[in-house]
Amino acid sequence: YIFALIAVFVLIIACINFVNLTTARAANRAKEVGIRKSIGAVKGNLVAQFMGESLLMSFLALVLALAMVELFLPAFNELAGKSMSLTLFGDPLQLAGLIGIALVTGVLAGAYPSLVLSSFQPVKVLKGRFQAGGRSGVFRRTLVAIQFTLSILLVICTLIVSSQLSFIRERKLGFDRENLLYFPMRGDMVERYDAVREELLAHPGIVEMGAVSALPTDQVSFSGNAMSWPGQDSSDQVSFNFTGVSPDYVRTLGLTMVDGREFSRERTAELDCIMMNETAARLISDQSVVGRQVTCMDEQREIIGIFADYNYESMHRELQPLVFLIIPSLYRYAVVRTTGGDIDGVLAALEAECRAVAPEYPFEYHFLDEAYDNLYRRELRMETIFLYFTIVAIAISCLGLFGLASYMAAQRTKEVGIRKVLGASQASIVLLLSKEFILLVGLAVCLAAPAAWLAMRSWLENFAYRTGIGVEPFVVAGGIGLLAAVLTAGYQAVKAAQTDPAQSVRYE
């Protein structure tokens, strides 16, 4: 829905360009309209003619767009993680939808220019008393402001999305996710885990290894009676996340102990013990819970340690209570912490050991930081596509502004010549011709800022942990909009200011 809305924004910007440039050049077709009316053409004929030209332009654009979609769709699918295809003749609904979009675009873009061009009075036009501007000039300025409002809105949204993703990437998770990789435990690996671990720890590139029932990004949650304790409010229905771990898992992940102790490999009674994070401990009591007996998974177990909270899920959700148990039968993955050097040697050692223990299975491995990145894959794709849409929107806006500035500079050629003869400098001429567009972009920033703030505040509410919306995105977006306007309109202004005043005065 977001991308469809952005596509509509871009289409509106293009329609505005068409309306602006068509009405700006109305004087060039005024004589044609006057002659047609003088030989019998009525307003309806002229409206149909100009509307027909707009529709023809729109359908030609549709044909070009289909060719470009066919060319760029594979790259877009790879970027967006989709498998869309263009099947016009196999899908009548899709074909009808595209024709409808082209029809609506042509009508919207051509309606106002058709009414303006067809309303010219033949007597004034043919006597040369026709003057472009007036209300149509105000309307064109309004459209330019709307155009840049949409473009700057997209820039602000892109910058805020990027800021949130940077916040997620830079936020401390509570453990070091670098130099961690994991592989699935298959075949006899679970039964021979201790021997496999001892063999792999002999490699100089491997620091520690632990086994776990679910990855940190993929916990298993139970609610209701899965966890209970003396003094618990009977109305509480709290969900806990449970993970089966080996005694070495806490050290492998590098979690910080805040109370009690870790699981020990030397103790034989650890199956009756549990560890939990600070969030889970606070649900049980405000005091230390180490040594307390609780009912966990229908068995009496002792809480032996509390580890510091760490983000093991997407930051879309608030941190949940997490409990570690020793359940060897549930081990599914082995997590390995490396020194960060000689990765090829480490992978070769892991592959050799896996093939020796489970030769019937292929060796697979992944890095844990990639698993965390996958939690935000949608947002990362959104950021990239937002960026492309924004570049397209700004480019289209600048194209329209360039054409309009070119026309308006041409309309004021004689004025520029007279000003230069009277001593005006090139700088004052450039400022004169550019300041109007700069003011319009400034107005666009004022209009875009609150709309972007509301939209992005709503989007950020999807994250339990989020960055604030500072002034930087608005300042940068305003700067980009003003720079685009200065470069686009300023080029035409400089060109007009450098014209020989003798030629300018003799222009007509």
Side-chain angles (χ1 to χ4, degrees):
Y1 291 130
I2 290 174
F3 294 142
L5 183 62
I6 295 173
V8 170
F9 281 0
V10 174
L11 196 58
I12 289 172
I13 291 170
C15 289
I16 288 172
N17 276 353
F18 184 84
V19 173
N20 267 339
L21 296 177
T22 303
T23 54
R25 295 186 175 274
N28 295 345
R29 304 194 66 177
K31 188 170 291 187
E32 173 194 346
V33 172
I35 292 172
R36 287 181 178 276
K37 280 192 169 183
S38 66
I39 59 175
V42 296
K43 187 172 182 177
N45 301 132
L46 295 168
V47 168
Q49 176 197 339
F50 296 126
M51 186 65 76
E53 292 175 4
S54 175
L55 289 171
L56 177 62
M57 188 79 74
S58 180
F59 278 96
L60 285 174
L62 173 62
V63 173
L64 288 173
L66 291 174
M68 293 178 70
V69 167
E70 192 67 38
L71 181 64
F72 291 112
L73 193 56
F76 179 81
N77 282 336
E78 183 177 352
L79 173 67
K82 303 293 182 184
S83 57
M84 294 183 289
S85 60
L86 188 64
T87 54
L88 292 179
F89 300 105
D91 187 352
L93 189 62
Q94 189 180 82
L95 180 61
L98 290 173
I99 293 173
I101 290 172
L103 190 63
V104 171
T105 302
V107 170
L108 289 178
Y112 181 76
S114 298
L115 293 174
V116 169
L117 294 172
S118 62
S119 62
F120 293 158
Q121 296 180 17
V123 174
K124 289 185 178 180
V125 168
L126 296 178
K127 283 186 175 182
R129 298 209 309 253
F130 169 77
Q131 290 184 345
R135 287 180 299 174
S136 63
V138 175
F139 184 70
R140 283 197 298 274
R141 292 178 181 87
T142 303
L143 291 181
V144 168
I146 293 172
Q147 191 176 49
F148 271 90
T149 297
L150 297 178
S151 298
I152 293 169
L153 174 67
L154 291 179
V155 174
I156 295 171
C157 292
T158 301
L159 292 173
I160 293 175
V161 169
S162 179
S163 175
Q164 172 64 13
L165 292 178
S166 296
F167 172 80
I168 290 171
R169 285 191 288 262
E170 295 169 5
R171 180 181 169 85
K172 293 182 178 179
L173 299 176
F175 72 99
D176 183 10
R177 69 180 187 178
E178 299 295 327
N179 304 323
L180 281 174
L181 59 88
Y182 64 91
F183 59 89
M185 300 177 66
R186 294 166 173 162
D188 297 332
M189 196 169 289
V190 173
E191 290 76 14
R192 298 173 59 183
Y193 168 72
D194 289 334
V196 170
R197 178 178 177 275
E198 291 300 323
E199 186 72 25
L200 289 175
L201 286 180
H203 191 283
I206 296 178
V207 178
E208 189 55 274
M209 174 176 168
V212 65
S213 61
L215 295 174
T217 56
D218 187 23
Q219 304 297 326
V220 179
S221 177
F222 296 92
S223 59
N225 297 325
M227 186 84 165
S228 61
W229 55 90
Q232 179 186 11
D233 191 334
S234 58
S235 63
D236 285 346
Q237 293 291 319
V238 183
S239 294
F240 285 81
N241 290 331
F242 294 89
T243 303
V245 302
S246 70
D248 327 282
Y249 182 71
V250 172
R251 286 194 301 278
T252 303
L253 224 58
L255 301 182
T256 302
M257 296 298 300
V258 295
D259 196 9
R261 64 175 178 85
E262 303 175 20
F263 291 123
S264 171
R265 297 185 64 83
E266 284 69 35
R267 296 173 184 260
T268 58
E270 299 289 71
L271 294 176
D272 296 330
C273 301
I274 62 172
M275 298 174 63
M276 60 179 59
N277 66 356
E278 295 171 288
T279 298
R282 283 194 295 268
L283 289 174
I284 297 175
S285 174
D286 293 333
Q287 307 298 321
S288 174
V289 297
V290 172
R292 291 188 60 167
Q293 295 288 324
V294 295
T295 302
C296 178
M297 309 292 284
D298 299 323
E299 292 187 19
Q300 284 291 112
R301 302 179 190 266
E302 179 187 353
I303 303 173
I304 63 166
I306 308 299
F307 53 88
D309 285 335
Y310 70 97
N311 286 100
Y312 58 89
E313 292 184 301
S314 164
M315 291 188 191
H316 292 94
R317 297 184 62 194
E318 290 187 4
L319 199 64
Q320 300 296 309
L322 177 63
V323 177
F324 285 168
L325 312 89
I326 294 183
I327 309 179
S329 61
L330 295 181
Y331 295 165
R332 292 179 57 208
Y333 298 97
V335 180
V336 176
R337 181 172 289 280
T338 72
T339 59
D342 190 24
I343 293 298
D344 291 338
V346 170
L347 293 177
L350 293 177
E351 183 174 7
E353 193 63 26
C354 289
R355 291 192 183 280
V357 177
E360 66 274 25
Y361 295 98
F363 173 64
E364 299 178 13
Y365 73 93
H366 302 276
F367 290 96
L368 193 61
D369 55 357
E370 293 177 350
Y372 271 91
D373 288 341
N374 287 339
L375 295 175
Y376 312 106
R377 183 176 295 174
R378 180 179 63 182
E379 283 75 21
L380 289 168
R381 287 172 175 161
M382 180 176 174
E383 178 189 25
T384 305
I385 298 174
F386 244 122
L387 178 62
Y388 288 139
F389 267 128
T390 302
I391 291 171
V392 170
I394 292 175
I396 294 174
S397 297
C398 288
L399 283 173
L401 185 59
F402 184 85
L404 192 57
S406 174
Y407 173 76
M408 293 183 72
Q411 289 289 95
R412 301 178 74 174
T413 301
K414 184 178 287 187
E415 176 190 347
V416 169
I418 294 172
R419 286 179 179 274
K420 290 189 73 174
V421 168
L422 295 176
S425 64
Q426 287 194 10
S428 64
I429 298 293
V430 170
L431 180 62
L432 173 71
L433 297 178
S434 303
K435 68 177 181 181
E436 180 179 343
F437 295 108
I438 294 173
L439 290 174
L440 288 175
V441 173
L443 175 62
V445 173
C446 297
L447 294 173
W453 185 82
L454 289 172
M456 286 292 97
R457 188 184 67 167
S458 175
W459 179 74
L460 286 171
E461 286 176 356
N462 293 314
F463 294 87
Y465 306 95
R466 52 185 177 264
T467 184
I469 301 179
V471 298
E472 294 87 353
F474 303 95
V475 173
V476 173
I480 291 173
L482 288 172
L483 181 63
V486 168
L487 292 178
T488 306
Y491 172 78
Q492 292 296 341
V494 169
K495 189 176 171 184
Q498 291 177 340
T499 306
D500 183 356
Q503 303 237 348
S504 301
V505 174
R506 287 187 322 201
Y507 179 71
E508 293 178 351

